[in-house]
Amino acid sequence: MTERELLYVKTIADEQSISKAAKKLFLSQPSLSHCIQKIETNLGTKLFKRTNTGLLLTFAGERYYQIATDIMKIYSDFEIEVSDINNLKKGRITVGITVYLATHILPVILPAFKQQCSNIEVFLVERNSTELDKALSSGEIDFAIMHTLPICEQSNSQNINIYPLSKDPLLLATKKDHPLRQHAVNVKELEYPKIDLPLFANEPFVMLHKEQKIRQLSDLILQKANINPTISLTTKSYETARRLACEGIGVAFVPLQYLKIFPGDYHPDYYYIDEKYSPYWTMCVAVQKNAYVSKAAQLFIKMVSEKFSSTIYDFM
């Protein structure tokens, strides 16, 4: 059954006449008659019977008419729903985001988004950046807000587009008044002093797990500094690593952006690392190449880029 065939049978049944139906459909009567004959041949049964009062439906024709009416109503309702989706009156977006970035970004973006799109459902998938790469490639999420390695170090899937938002350095965290502090250099425009990373070659490190982007970036930094670290502890929590560094269990790499999320009683010393080690990652929006991005998702991405980037990514 095609939409055209459904319409033809329904119109003939409503008009009880092929000639009247043909006129209403802007077709010639022979053309419409031929089409109905073809439908009946394919079905192997008659849909209409001739009477003195006009064409009436057979039992099979009545079932065809009912199904045609139902299908055309469903299609009409779908067109209305698509219109609502296109006008941001209805829909759902699935956002992939890391737990820490959810804490940082969502309280800023969601209230404004909900005010503008109260009927759009927002479903969150909270995982680390490596897992979000996979979720994006599989189509499980519409887009991801996560971190990516420096451009020169990226090994992302070829089917993902990256839209950088902001560059965030990794700082070295140590216990207060670490003996190597004497080698730190204050730089006027920086909040924390700089220190030469190779000085810590013999220090124990608190590291994150290998599947996490912070760990992958940490390994790249240490490799560039020719350091084969002694790892005192491995954890999945950046905050645990930060606090343990404060207690002298080892030194740790800490994203500057995250320091604003968890202020508290633990106050280690922080140091910037030389740029030659590429000690930073980039907060970004990631979208699967050639994937459909709904208007609701486009608006959400635009709002994130307006608040957290100097570059506004407008998909609308």
Side-chain angles (χ1 to χ4, degrees):
M1 297 179 187
T2 67
E3 182 186 0
R4 185 184 65 176
E5 290 172 344
L6 295 173
L7 179 61
Y8 287 177
V9 172
K10 185 177 183 305
T11 305
I12 293 172
D14 291 339
E15 299 295 329
Q16 296 186 334
S17 165
I18 287 185
S19 60
K20 289 180 181 179
K23 186 175 180 180
K24 191 171 184 179
L25 294 167
F26 301 101
L27 295 171
S28 67
Q29 183 174 336
S31 176
L32 183 57
S33 295
H34 177 73
C35 183
I36 296 302
Q37 289 171 7
K38 185 178 178 182
I39 294 171
E40 291 177 332
T41 298
N42 289 337
L43 291 173
T45 188
K46 291 287 186 180
L47 298 178
F48 296 96
K49 57 186 177 183
R50 293 187 178 275
T51 69
N52 292 332
T53 57
L55 289 178
L56 296 180
L57 291 166
T58 63
F59 180 75
E62 289 176 359
R63 291 295 299 131
Y64 192 105
Y65 180 89
Q66 185 59 54
I67 290 171
T69 302
D70 292 344
I71 291 174
M72 292 177 73
K73 177 63 167 62
I74 290 170
Y75 186 77
S76 176
D77 290 345
F78 178 66
E79 285 184 319
I80 294 171
E81 185 171 346
V82 168
S83 177
D84 286 343
I85 292 169
N86 286 336
N87 290 302
L88 301 177
K89 294 179 181 178
K90 186 176 184 180
R92 179 183 65 243
I93 58 174
T94 304
V95 183
I97 192 168
T98 66
V99 173
Y100 292 118
L101 284 181
T103 304
H104 180 54
I105 290 175
L106 295 184
V108 177
I109 298 300
L110 267 182
F113 181 80
K114 281 294 185 182
Q115 187 174 14
Q116 193 165 337
C117 306
S118 58
N119 293 321
I120 301 294
E121 178 187 355
V122 179
F123 183 74
L124 297 180
V125 174
E126 295 177 285
R127 298 175 189 167
N128 68 47
S129 293
T130 302
E131 292 169 336
L132 290 177
D133 277 337
K134 297 175 182 176
L136 195 59
S137 294
S138 69
E140 181 184 350
I141 56 180
D142 296 325
F143 62 92
I145 303 172
M146 60 183 191
H147 286 102
T148 187
L149 301 179
I151 299 300
C152 59
E153 310 291 353
Q154 281 184 26
S155 58
N156 290 318
S157 171
Q158 294 299 310
N159 69 339
I160 296 176
N161 284 327
I162 298 294
Y163 300 93
L165 296 174
S166 61
K167 181 176 168 181
D168 187 40
L170 260 65
L171 306 179
L172 191 68
T174 74
K175 68 179 181 180
K176 280 286 185 182
D177 300 319
H178 191 284
L180 292 173
R181 182 179 177 83
Q182 61 181 312
H183 300 288
V185 177
N186 291 314
V187 180
K188 186 176 180 180
E189 65 272 15
L190 296 181
E191 183 178 358
Y192 303 107
K194 290 185 71 172
I195 201 163
D196 191 16
L197 183 59
L199 292 170
F200 292 85
N202 296 319
E203 293 292 314
F205 279 76
V206 178
M207 302 284 274
L208 272 68
H209 281 259
K210 286 185 177 294
E211 72 272 11
Q212 294 174 266
K213 286 277 176 72
I214 291 182
R215 172 59 183 273
Q216 294 164 21
L217 181 53
S218 299
D219 287 344
L220 288 170
I221 293 169
L222 291 170
Q223 182 180 359
K224 287 186 176 183
N226 293 315
I227 295 175
N228 185 17
T230 298
I231 299 175
S232 61
L233 189 75
T234 301
T235 175
K236 286 190 174 182
S237 168
Y238 123 83
E239 179 61 9
T240 299
R242 188 183 76 86
R243 295 186 182 198
L244 290 175
C246 182
E247 294 299 316
I249 301 300
V251 298
F253 291 108
V254 179
L256 176 62
Q257 186 182 59
Y258 286 179
L259 302 187
K260 302 171 185 176
I261 299 177
F262 293 106
D265 297 331
Y266 292 85
H267 301 286
D269 284 338
Y270 299 111
Y271 302 95
Y272 281 94
I273 306 165
D274 197 289
E275 276 287 322
K276 67 184 178 183
Y277 302 120
S278 301
Y280 64 89
W281 61 1
T282 301
M283 185 171 74
C284 68
V285 173
V287 180
Q288 190 178 35
K289 286 183 180 177
N290 303 318
Y292 169 71
V293 182
S294 70
K295 285 191 175 181
Q298 292 175 36
L299 177 61
F300 197 99
I301 292 170
K302 181 182 177 183
M303 294 174 75
V304 171
S305 66
E306 286 175 344
K307 288 289 186 181
F308 295 94
S309 174
S310 57
T311 302
I312 307 302
Y313 298 106
D314 187 357
F315 290 80
M316 302 294 281

